[in-house]
Amino acid sequence: MRAKDRSLPAYALFAAMLAAAGLPIYIHAPKFYVDEYGVSLATLGAVLFGLRLFDVVQDPALGWLSRKFSGKRAAAIALSGALMAIAMTGLFAVTPLFSPVLWFALTLALLFSSFSFLTISFYAQGVSKARTLGRSGHVRLAQWRETGALLGISLAAVAPIALIWTGAPFAAFALVFVVGAGFAVWAMRGEWRSDGTVPVTGFRPILSDPLARRLLLIALLNAMPVAVTSTLFLFFVESRLGAPGWEGPLLLLFFLAAAASAPIWGQVARRIGAKSALMIGMILAIAAFGGAAFLSTGDTLAFAFVCLASGAALGADMTLLPAIFAARLAEVSPGAAEGFGLWSFVSKFTLAFAAVSLLPLLEASGFTSGSNQMPDRALETLTLMYAVLPCALKFLALGLLAGTRLNESAETTALKEV
Protein backbone atom coordinates (compact mmCIF):
# COMPACT_ATOMS: atom_id res chain seq x y z
CA MET A 1 0.00 0.00 0.00
CA ARG A 2 1.40 3.43 -0.93
CA ALA A 3 2.16 5.89 1.85
CA LYS A 4 -0.70 8.18 0.96
CA ASP A 5 -3.16 5.28 1.23
CA ARG A 6 -2.24 4.15 4.74
CA SER A 7 -5.03 6.11 6.37
CA LEU A 8 -7.82 4.52 4.34
CA PRO A 9 -8.36 1.64 6.82
CA ALA A 10 -9.01 4.32 9.46
CA TYR A 11 -11.83 5.66 7.30
CA ALA A 12 -13.27 2.14 7.05
CA LEU A 13 -13.06 1.69 10.81
CA PHE A 14 -14.72 5.03 11.52
CA ALA A 15 -17.49 4.23 9.01
CA ALA A 16 -18.00 0.87 10.74
CA MET A 17 -18.39 2.61 14.10
CA LEU A 18 -20.97 5.04 12.69
CA ALA A 19 -22.89 2.28 10.92
CA ALA A 20 -22.98 0.23 14.14
CA ALA A 21 -24.79 3.14 15.80
CA GLY A 22 -27.23 3.66 12.92
CA LEU A 23 -29.54 1.05 11.44
CA PRO A 24 -28.99 -1.63 14.16
CA ILE A 25 -30.38 0.74 16.79
CA TYR A 26 -33.74 0.65 15.00
CA ILE A 27 -33.56 -3.13 15.01
CA HIS A 28 -32.58 -3.66 18.65
CA ALA A 29 -33.72 -0.72 20.77
CA PRO A 30 -37.54 -0.97 20.35
CA LYS A 31 -37.67 -4.69 21.09
CA PHE A 32 -35.26 -4.30 24.02
CA TYR A 33 -37.43 -1.65 25.69
CA VAL A 34 -40.62 -3.61 25.01
CA ASP A 35 -39.22 -6.81 26.50
CA GLU A 36 -37.26 -5.31 29.41
CA TYR A 37 -39.43 -2.38 30.50
CA GLY A 38 -42.85 -3.03 28.98
CA VAL A 39 -42.92 0.19 26.97
CA SER A 40 -45.62 0.12 24.29
CA LEU A 41 -44.67 -0.14 20.63
CA ALA A 42 -46.80 2.89 19.81
CA THR A 43 -44.95 5.06 22.32
CA LEU A 44 -41.54 3.96 21.08
CA GLY A 45 -42.55 4.64 17.50
CA ALA A 46 -43.72 8.15 18.41
CA VAL A 47 -40.42 8.89 20.19
CA LEU A 48 -38.34 7.70 17.23
CA PHE A 49 -40.40 9.75 14.81
CA GLY A 50 -40.17 12.88 16.95
CA LEU A 51 -36.41 12.59 17.22
CA ARG A 52 -36.06 12.25 13.46
CA LEU A 53 -38.24 15.30 12.88
CA PHE A 54 -35.91 17.20 15.18
CA ASP A 55 -33.12 16.39 12.72
CA VAL A 56 -34.73 18.77 10.24
CA VAL A 57 -33.63 21.62 12.50
CA GLN A 58 -30.66 19.97 14.12
CA ASP A 59 -28.66 18.74 11.12
CA PRO A 60 -28.13 22.19 9.52
CA ALA A 61 -27.09 23.54 12.94
CA LEU A 62 -24.64 20.67 13.41
CA GLY A 63 -23.24 21.35 9.94
CA TRP A 64 -22.65 24.96 10.98
CA LEU A 65 -20.94 23.76 14.19
CA SER A 66 -18.74 21.41 12.19
CA ARG A 67 -17.56 24.32 10.06
CA LYS A 68 -17.26 26.62 13.10
CA PHE A 69 -14.92 24.21 14.87
CA SER A 70 -13.01 23.14 11.76
CA GLY A 71 -9.76 24.35 13.33
CA LYS A 72 -10.36 22.19 16.40
CA ARG A 73 -12.13 19.35 14.67
CA ALA A 74 -10.09 16.55 16.26
CA ALA A 75 -11.15 17.70 19.74
CA ALA A 76 -14.78 18.12 18.64
CA ILE A 77 -14.78 14.63 17.15
CA ALA A 78 -13.29 13.13 20.32
CA LEU A 79 -15.97 14.84 22.45
CA SER A 80 -18.78 13.72 20.14
CA GLY A 81 -17.44 10.17 20.10
CA ALA A 82 -17.38 10.14 23.90
CA LEU A 83 -20.94 11.44 24.08
CA MET A 84 -22.14 8.78 21.66
CA ALA A 85 -20.43 6.06 23.72
CA ILE A 86 -22.07 7.42 26.89
CA ALA A 87 -25.47 7.47 25.17
CA MET A 88 -25.10 3.89 23.95
CA THR A 89 -24.14 2.75 27.44
CA GLY A 90 -27.11 4.57 28.94
CA LEU A 91 -29.49 3.14 26.36
CA PHE A 92 -28.57 -0.52 26.79
CA ALA A 93 -26.38 -0.99 29.88
CA VAL A 94 -27.93 1.30 32.51
CA THR A 95 -31.28 0.68 34.18
CA PRO A 96 -33.40 3.80 33.53
CA LEU A 97 -32.97 6.33 36.33
CA PHE A 98 -36.52 7.59 35.74
CA SER A 99 -39.39 6.81 33.35
CA PRO A 100 -38.16 4.28 30.74
CA VAL A 101 -39.85 6.26 27.96
CA LEU A 102 -38.11 9.49 28.93
CA TRP A 103 -34.82 7.64 29.42
CA PHE A 104 -35.21 6.07 25.98
CA ALA A 105 -35.86 9.50 24.47
CA LEU A 106 -32.99 11.21 26.30
CA THR A 107 -30.34 8.63 25.52
CA LEU A 108 -31.43 8.31 21.89
CA ALA A 109 -31.46 12.10 21.47
CA LEU A 110 -27.87 12.27 22.69
CA LEU A 111 -26.88 9.31 20.53
CA PHE A 112 -28.53 10.68 17.37
CA SER A 113 -27.08 14.17 17.88
CA SER A 114 -23.57 12.81 18.29
CA PHE A 115 -24.10 10.47 15.36
CA SER A 116 -25.23 13.32 13.09
CA PHE A 117 -22.31 15.57 14.02
CA LEU A 118 -19.80 12.78 13.46
CA THR A 119 -21.39 11.80 10.14
CA ILE A 120 -21.43 15.37 8.79
CA SER A 121 -17.81 15.94 9.81
CA PHE A 122 -16.69 12.55 8.51
CA TYR A 123 -18.20 12.97 5.04
CA ALA A 124 -16.97 16.56 4.79
CA GLN A 125 -13.46 15.38 5.62
CA GLY A 126 -13.84 12.63 3.04
CA VAL A 127 -14.35 15.20 0.29
CA SER A 128 -11.02 16.79 1.21
CA LYS A 129 -9.28 13.43 1.58
CA ALA A 130 -10.44 12.17 -1.81
CA ARG A 131 -8.72 15.09 -3.53
CA THR A 132 -5.35 13.84 -2.25
CA LEU A 133 -5.84 10.31 -3.60
CA GLY A 134 -5.57 11.05 -7.28
CA ARG A 135 -7.97 10.71 -10.18
CA SER A 136 -10.10 7.92 -8.70
CA GLY A 137 -9.88 9.23 -5.15
CA HIS A 138 -13.63 9.46 -4.51
CA VAL A 139 -14.19 5.90 -5.69
CA ARG A 140 -11.28 4.44 -3.70
CA LEU A 141 -12.32 6.23 -0.54
CA ALA A 142 -15.96 5.19 -1.03
CA GLN A 143 -14.93 1.54 -1.40
CA TRP A 144 -13.11 1.56 1.94
CA ARG A 145 -15.82 3.60 3.65
CA GLU A 146 -18.83 1.60 2.42
CA THR A 147 -17.13 -1.74 3.06
CA GLY A 148 -16.45 -0.62 6.61
CA ALA A 149 -20.04 0.54 6.99
CA LEU A 150 -21.46 -2.79 5.86
CA LEU A 151 -19.17 -4.68 8.22
CA GLY A 152 -20.19 -2.37 11.07
CA ILE A 153 -23.87 -2.94 10.39
CA SER A 154 -23.34 -6.70 10.18
CA LEU A 155 -21.43 -6.90 13.47
CA ALA A 156 -23.83 -4.63 15.35
CA ALA A 157 -26.86 -6.49 14.00
CA VAL A 158 -25.72 -9.84 15.40
CA ALA A 159 -23.74 -8.70 18.46
CA PRO A 160 -26.56 -8.94 21.05
CA ILE A 161 -27.36 -12.46 19.84
CA ALA A 162 -23.70 -13.51 19.79
CA LEU A 163 -23.18 -12.09 23.28
CA ILE A 164 -26.17 -13.84 24.84
CA TRP A 165 -23.77 -16.07 26.79
CA THR A 166 -22.83 -13.06 28.92
CA GLY A 167 -26.28 -13.00 30.52
CA ALA A 168 -26.67 -9.32 29.61
CA PRO A 169 -26.14 -9.27 25.85
CA PHE A 170 -27.30 -5.70 25.20
CA ALA A 171 -25.15 -4.31 27.99
CA ALA A 172 -22.21 -6.27 26.59
CA PHE A 173 -22.95 -4.89 23.12
CA ALA A 174 -22.86 -1.35 24.50
CA LEU A 175 -19.51 -1.94 26.19
CA VAL A 176 -18.02 -3.46 23.03
CA PHE A 177 -19.28 -0.43 21.12
CA VAL A 178 -17.56 1.92 23.60
CA VAL A 179 -14.24 0.17 23.01
CA GLY A 180 -14.73 0.17 19.24
CA ALA A 181 -15.70 3.84 19.18
CA GLY A 182 -12.62 4.79 21.15
CA PHE A 183 -10.38 2.86 18.78
CA ALA A 184 -12.07 4.38 15.70
CA VAL A 185 -11.69 7.94 16.99
CA TRP A 186 -8.03 7.25 17.85
CA ALA A 187 -7.34 5.76 14.40
CA MET A 188 -8.69 8.91 12.70
CA ARG A 189 -6.89 11.34 15.02
CA GLY A 190 -4.46 12.58 12.38
CA GLU A 191 -7.02 12.97 9.58
CA TRP A 192 -9.08 15.92 10.74
CA ARG A 193 -7.96 19.00 8.86
CA SER A 194 -9.31 22.53 8.82
CA ASP A 195 -9.75 22.23 5.05
CA GLY A 196 -12.20 19.36 5.54
CA THR A 197 -15.14 21.70 5.10
CA VAL A 198 -16.91 21.94 1.78
CA PRO A 199 -18.67 24.75 -0.04
CA VAL A 200 -21.98 25.86 1.44
CA THR A 201 -24.56 26.45 -1.27
CA GLY A 202 -27.79 25.61 0.52
CA PHE A 203 -30.54 23.27 -0.68
CA ARG A 204 -31.93 25.56 -3.39
CA PRO A 205 -29.74 24.37 -6.35
CA ILE A 206 -30.59 20.76 -5.54
CA LEU A 207 -34.29 21.08 -4.81
CA SER A 208 -34.84 23.35 -7.82
CA ASP A 209 -33.52 20.66 -10.16
CA PRO A 210 -36.37 18.36 -11.36
CA LEU A 211 -34.13 15.30 -11.80
CA ALA A 212 -32.51 15.68 -8.38
CA ARG A 213 -35.94 16.01 -6.77
CA ARG A 214 -37.17 12.94 -8.61
CA LEU A 215 -34.13 10.93 -7.51
CA LEU A 216 -34.74 11.96 -3.90
CA LEU A 217 -38.36 10.79 -4.19
CA ILE A 218 -37.19 7.48 -5.66
CA ALA A 219 -34.72 7.17 -2.79
CA LEU A 220 -37.52 7.78 -0.29
CA LEU A 221 -39.78 5.10 -1.79
CA ASN A 222 -36.90 2.70 -2.37
CA ALA A 223 -35.53 3.00 1.18
CA MET A 224 -38.92 2.56 2.83
CA PRO A 225 -39.08 -1.24 2.32
CA VAL A 226 -35.72 -1.68 4.07
CA ALA A 227 -36.92 0.57 6.88
CA VAL A 228 -40.10 -1.50 7.23
CA THR A 229 -38.33 -4.85 7.28
CA SER A 230 -35.59 -3.57 9.61
CA THR A 231 -38.17 -2.34 12.11
CA LEU A 232 -40.12 -5.62 12.06
CA PHE A 233 -37.35 -8.18 11.44
CA LEU A 234 -36.91 -9.43 15.02
CA PHE A 235 -40.66 -9.65 15.57
CA PHE A 236 -41.13 -11.57 12.30
CA VAL A 237 -38.46 -14.15 13.06
CA GLU A 238 -39.56 -14.66 16.66
CA SER A 239 -43.34 -14.66 16.24
CA ARG A 240 -44.20 -15.44 12.61
CA LEU A 241 -41.47 -18.03 11.98
CA GLY A 242 -41.38 -19.23 15.59
CA ALA A 243 -37.59 -19.22 15.47
CA PRO A 244 -36.25 -17.32 18.49
CA GLY A 245 -32.46 -17.50 18.59
CA TRP A 246 -32.14 -17.42 14.80
CA GLU A 247 -32.35 -13.64 14.55
CA GLY A 248 -28.58 -13.16 14.69
CA PRO A 249 -27.55 -15.69 12.02
CA LEU A 250 -30.32 -14.53 9.70
CA LEU A 251 -29.38 -10.85 10.11
CA LEU A 252 -25.75 -11.70 9.47
CA LEU A 253 -26.73 -13.62 6.34
CA PHE A 254 -28.74 -10.62 5.11
CA PHE A 255 -25.98 -8.05 5.57
CA LEU A 256 -23.20 -10.31 4.30
CA ALA A 257 -25.25 -10.90 1.16
CA ALA A 258 -25.47 -7.13 0.73
CA ALA A 259 -21.72 -6.69 1.21
CA ALA A 260 -20.82 -9.55 -1.14
CA SER A 261 -23.20 -8.42 -3.87
CA ALA A 262 -22.08 -4.77 -3.99
CA PRO A 263 -19.08 -5.30 -6.32
CA ILE A 264 -21.13 -7.64 -8.50
CA TRP A 265 -23.75 -4.95 -9.02
CA GLY A 266 -20.95 -2.61 -10.04
CA GLN A 267 -19.88 -5.02 -12.74
CA VAL A 268 -23.47 -5.49 -13.92
CA ALA A 269 -23.93 -1.72 -14.07
CA ARG A 270 -20.85 -1.31 -16.25
CA ARG A 271 -22.29 -3.82 -18.70
CA ILE A 272 -25.92 -2.73 -18.95
CA GLY A 273 -26.02 0.69 -17.27
CA ALA A 274 -26.59 1.79 -13.68
CA LYS A 275 -30.32 2.39 -14.14
CA SER A 276 -30.99 -1.01 -15.71
CA ALA A 277 -28.93 -2.79 -13.07
CA LEU A 278 -30.79 -0.98 -10.28
CA MET A 279 -34.14 -1.97 -11.78
CA ILE A 280 -33.04 -5.62 -11.76
CA GLY A 281 -32.13 -5.23 -8.09
CA MET A 282 -35.58 -3.80 -7.34
CA ILE A 283 -37.27 -6.72 -9.10
CA LEU A 284 -35.15 -9.14 -7.04
CA ALA A 285 -36.27 -7.36 -3.87
CA ILE A 286 -39.93 -7.64 -4.87
CA ALA A 287 -39.52 -11.36 -5.50
CA ALA A 288 -37.85 -11.81 -2.11
CA PHE A 289 -40.45 -9.84 -0.16
CA GLY A 290 -43.23 -11.60 -2.05
CA GLY A 291 -41.81 -14.96 -1.06
CA ALA A 292 -41.78 -13.97 2.61
CA ALA A 293 -45.53 -13.38 2.46
CA PHE A 294 -46.16 -17.15 2.14
CA LEU A 295 -44.01 -18.22 5.10
CA SER A 296 -45.33 -19.45 8.42
CA THR A 297 -44.11 -21.18 11.56
CA GLY A 298 -41.10 -23.40 10.94
CA ASP A 299 -40.13 -21.98 7.54
CA THR A 300 -36.76 -20.77 8.81
CA LEU A 301 -34.72 -22.33 6.00
CA ALA A 302 -36.94 -20.78 3.35
CA PHE A 303 -36.58 -17.43 5.09
CA ALA A 304 -32.81 -17.80 4.90
CA PHE A 305 -33.14 -17.71 1.10
CA VAL A 306 -35.34 -14.63 1.45
CA CYS A 307 -32.53 -13.01 3.47
CA LEU A 308 -29.99 -13.91 0.80
CA ALA A 309 -32.09 -12.48 -2.02
CA SER A 310 -33.21 -9.33 -0.20
CA GLY A 311 -29.66 -8.77 1.04
CA ALA A 312 -28.34 -9.01 -2.51
CA ALA A 313 -30.99 -6.52 -3.61
CA LEU A 314 -29.89 -4.17 -0.82
CA GLY A 315 -26.38 -4.28 -2.30
CA ALA A 316 -27.79 -2.70 -5.46
CA ASP A 317 -29.65 -0.05 -3.48
CA MET A 318 -26.56 0.93 -1.50
CA THR A 319 -24.25 1.27 -4.48
CA LEU A 320 -26.19 2.18 -7.63
CA LEU A 321 -28.84 4.69 -6.57
CA PRO A 322 -26.39 6.82 -4.51
CA ALA A 323 -23.99 6.81 -7.47
CA ILE A 324 -26.72 8.04 -9.82
CA PHE A 325 -27.68 10.78 -7.36
CA ALA A 326 -24.04 11.79 -6.83
CA ALA A 327 -23.59 12.06 -10.58
CA ARG A 328 -26.53 14.47 -10.83
CA LEU A 329 -25.34 16.36 -7.77
CA ALA A 330 -21.97 16.90 -9.45
CA GLU A 331 -23.79 18.69 -12.27
CA VAL A 332 -26.19 20.89 -10.31
CA SER A 333 -24.23 21.61 -7.10
CA PRO A 334 -20.63 20.34 -7.34
CA GLY A 335 -18.77 19.98 -4.09
CA ALA A 336 -21.73 20.83 -1.85
CA ALA A 337 -22.35 18.80 1.29
CA GLU A 338 -26.03 19.76 1.42
CA GLY A 339 -26.93 17.15 -1.20
CA PHE A 340 -25.45 14.35 0.88
CA GLY A 341 -27.24 15.80 3.90
CA LEU A 342 -30.56 15.53 2.06
CA TRP A 343 -29.75 11.98 1.04
CA SER A 344 -28.88 11.05 4.63
CA PHE A 345 -32.04 12.68 5.95
CA VAL A 346 -34.21 10.69 3.51
CA SER A 347 -32.72 7.47 4.86
CA LYS A 348 -33.19 8.47 8.50
CA PHE A 349 -36.72 9.70 7.88
CA THR A 350 -37.83 6.40 6.36
CA LEU A 351 -36.69 4.51 9.46
CA ALA A 352 -38.51 6.92 11.77
CA PHE A 353 -41.67 6.92 9.66
CA ALA A 354 -41.71 3.12 9.60
CA ALA A 355 -41.47 3.04 13.38
CA VAL A 356 -44.18 5.61 14.04
CA SER A 357 -46.64 4.15 11.54
CA LEU A 358 -46.12 0.39 11.85
CA LEU A 359 -45.44 -0.25 15.52
CA PRO A 360 -48.74 1.27 16.74
CA LEU A 361 -50.69 -0.64 14.08
CA LEU A 362 -48.96 -3.87 15.05
CA GLU A 363 -49.79 -3.31 18.71
CA ALA A 364 -53.42 -2.46 17.87
CA SER A 365 -53.76 -5.80 16.08
CA GLY A 366 -53.13 -7.61 19.36
CA PHE A 367 -49.44 -8.30 18.86
CA THR A 368 -47.43 -8.85 22.05
CA SER A 369 -43.69 -9.39 21.77
CA GLY A 370 -42.58 -12.78 23.11
CA SER A 371 -46.14 -14.07 23.64
CA ASN A 372 -46.90 -17.73 22.98
CA GLN A 373 -50.60 -17.00 22.49
CA MET A 374 -50.59 -14.68 19.51
CA PRO A 375 -53.93 -13.90 17.81
CA ASP A 376 -54.11 -14.91 14.15
CA ARG A 377 -55.01 -11.33 13.28
CA ALA A 378 -51.75 -10.10 14.81
CA LEU A 379 -49.65 -12.58 12.82
CA GLU A 380 -51.51 -11.73 9.62
CA THR A 381 -50.90 -8.03 10.23
CA LEU A 382 -47.21 -8.70 10.87
CA THR A 383 -46.93 -10.63 7.60
CA LEU A 384 -48.74 -7.96 5.61
CA MET A 385 -46.48 -5.26 7.01
CA TYR A 386 -43.24 -7.19 6.70
CA ALA A 387 -43.76 -8.73 3.25
CA VAL A 388 -46.64 -7.24 1.28
CA LEU A 389 -46.14 -3.56 2.09
CA PRO A 390 -42.47 -3.56 0.97
CA CYS A 391 -43.52 -5.13 -2.34
CA ALA A 392 -45.99 -2.31 -2.97
CA LEU A 393 -43.42 0.36 -2.10
CA LYS A 394 -40.78 -1.24 -4.32
CA PHE A 395 -43.26 -1.37 -7.21
CA LEU A 396 -43.83 2.37 -6.84
CA ALA A 397 -40.09 3.08 -6.75
CA LEU A 398 -39.51 0.81 -9.74
CA GLY A 399 -42.21 2.52 -11.79
CA LEU A 400 -40.86 5.95 -10.95
CA LEU A 401 -37.31 4.94 -11.86
CA ALA A 402 -38.45 3.33 -15.10
CA GLY A 403 -40.03 6.63 -16.13
CA THR A 404 -36.95 8.67 -15.23
CA ARG A 405 -34.70 9.73 -18.08
CA LEU A 406 -31.05 9.99 -17.10
CA ASN A 407 -28.83 12.02 -19.37
CA GLU A 408 -25.75 10.31 -20.80
CA SER A 409 -23.26 12.25 -18.71
CA ALA A 410 -25.02 11.35 -15.47
CA GLU A 411 -25.13 7.69 -16.42
CA THR A 412 -21.45 7.69 -17.37
CA THR A 413 -20.42 9.40 -14.12
CA ALA A 414 -22.49 6.95 -12.12
CA LEU A 415 -20.77 4.03 -13.77
CA LYS A 416 -17.39 5.46 -12.78
CA GLU A 417 -18.58 5.70 -9.17
CA VAL A 418 -19.55 2.02 -9.03
Side-chain angles (χ1 to χ4, degrees):
M1 183 180 296
R2 293 171 294 181
K4 65 180 180 181
D5 296 346
R6 288 175 182 168
S7 62
L8 288 178
Y11 281 82
L13 181 61
F14 201 87
M17 182 268 290
L18 288 175
L23 177 62
I25 297 304
Y26 280 89
I27 297 175
H28 298 312
K31 191 172 190 306
F32 176 72
Y33 272 75
V34 168
D35 293 345
E36 291 293 318
Y37 305 115
V39 181
S40 75
L41 290 173
T43 301
L44 293 177
V47 170
L48 287 170
F49 187 69
L51 290 174
R52 283 289 74 124
L53 284 183
F54 182 62
D55 279 345
V56 176
V57 177
Q58 177 180 248
D59 282 1
L62 291 175
W64 176 83
L65 280 176
S66 179
R67 292 188 292 272
K68 184 73 173 178
F69 291 99
S70 61
K72 299 179 180 179
R73 181 161 289 163
I77 293 297
L79 176 60
S80 296
L83 290 176
M84 187 161 67
I86 291 171
M88 188 72 78
T89 303
L91 183 66
F92 287 121
V94 176
T95 302
L97 302 180
F98 36 82
S99 165
V101 174
L102 293 178
W103 185 258
F104 178 80
L106 177 64
T107 53
L108 269 187
L110 181 59
L111 191 150
F112 286 158
S113 297
S114 303
F115 173 85
S116 294
F117 180 82
L118 291 171
T119 301
I120 291 168
S121 300
F122 181 57
Y123 277 83
Q125 186 62 49
V127 174
S128 177
K129 178 67 177 180
R131 298 191 190 109
T132 71
L133 298 176
R135 185 176 180 181
S136 59
H138 286 283
V139 176
R140 291 170 57 203
L141 178 61
Q143 288 173 335
W144 281 91
R145 187 174 57 210
E146 301 312 320
T147 298
L150 282 168
L151 290 175
I153 289 175
S154 300
L155 291 174
V158 303
I161 308 299
L163 294 170
I164 197 168
W165 58 271
T166 65
F170 286 95
F173 163 64
L175 295 178
V176 170
F177 178 85
V178 169
V179 174
F183 189 52
V185 170
W186 178 84
M188 280 285 292
R189 68 194 183 283
E191 288 300 305
W192 307 109
R193 299 283 188 269
S194 60
D195 61 349
T197 56
V198 293
V200 183
T201 63
F203 297 130
R204 184 181 295 275
I206 304 161
L207 295 179
S208 62
D209 179 67
L211 180 55
R213 291 199 308 269
R214 191 177 181 93
L215 289 173
L216 284 170
L217 178 57
I218 293 172
L220 179 68
L221 291 172
N222 196 52
M224 194 63 81
V226 177
V228 169
T229 54
S230 297
T231 301
L232 301 177
F233 185 91
L234 297 182
F235 300 117
F236 189 84
V237 174
E238 179 185 68
S239 300
R240 174 68 279 182
L241 300 181
W246 280 95
E247 299 93 339
L250 291 169
L251 273 174
L252 183 60
L253 184 65
F254 173 76
F255 286 117
L256 288 181
S261 69
I264 298 174
W265 287 114
Q267 293 296 323
V268 173
R270 291 185 182 94
R271 288 180 177 272
I272 65 174
K275 176 182 173 180
S276 297
L278 179 58
M279 291 176 67
I280 292 174
M282 289 179 172
I283 294 171
L284 177 61
I286 291 170
F289 294 138
F294 298 96
L295 301 182
S296 59
T297 303
D299 291 334
T300 308
L301 180 59
F303 187 67
F305 287 100
V306 170
C307 290
L308 277 173
S310 57
L314 178 64
D317 292 343
M318 294 185 68
T319 54
L320 302 181
L321 189 52
I324 294 172
F325 179 74
R328 185 58 183 173
L329 194 63
E331 295 182 4
V332 300
S333 186
E338 284 82 358
F340 298 106
L342 281 171
W343 193 264
S344 175
F345 176 74
V346 164
S347 177
K348 291 189 291 185
F349 178 81
T350 58
L351 287 164
F353 186 78
V356 76
S357 58
L358 299 182
L359 294 180
L361 288 174
L362 186 60
E363 187 174 62
S365 72
F367 183 88
T368 304
S369 178
S371 173
N372 294 322
Q373 301 294 326
M374 196 74 68
D376 289 341
R377 184 166 68 95
L379 294 178
E380 290 170 359
T381 300
L382 178 59
T383 298
L384 286 172
M385 289 181 176
Y386 183 85
V388 179
L389 178 59
C391 282
L393 292 168
K394 276 287 183 181
F395 266 120
L396 289 175
L398 178 62
L400 197 58
L401 178 62
T404 301
R405 177 174 294 182
L406 300 178
N407 59 47
E408 186 176 348
S409 62
E411 183 84 0
T412 301
T413 306
L415 291 176
K416 291 179 180 178
E417 292 296 322
V418 297

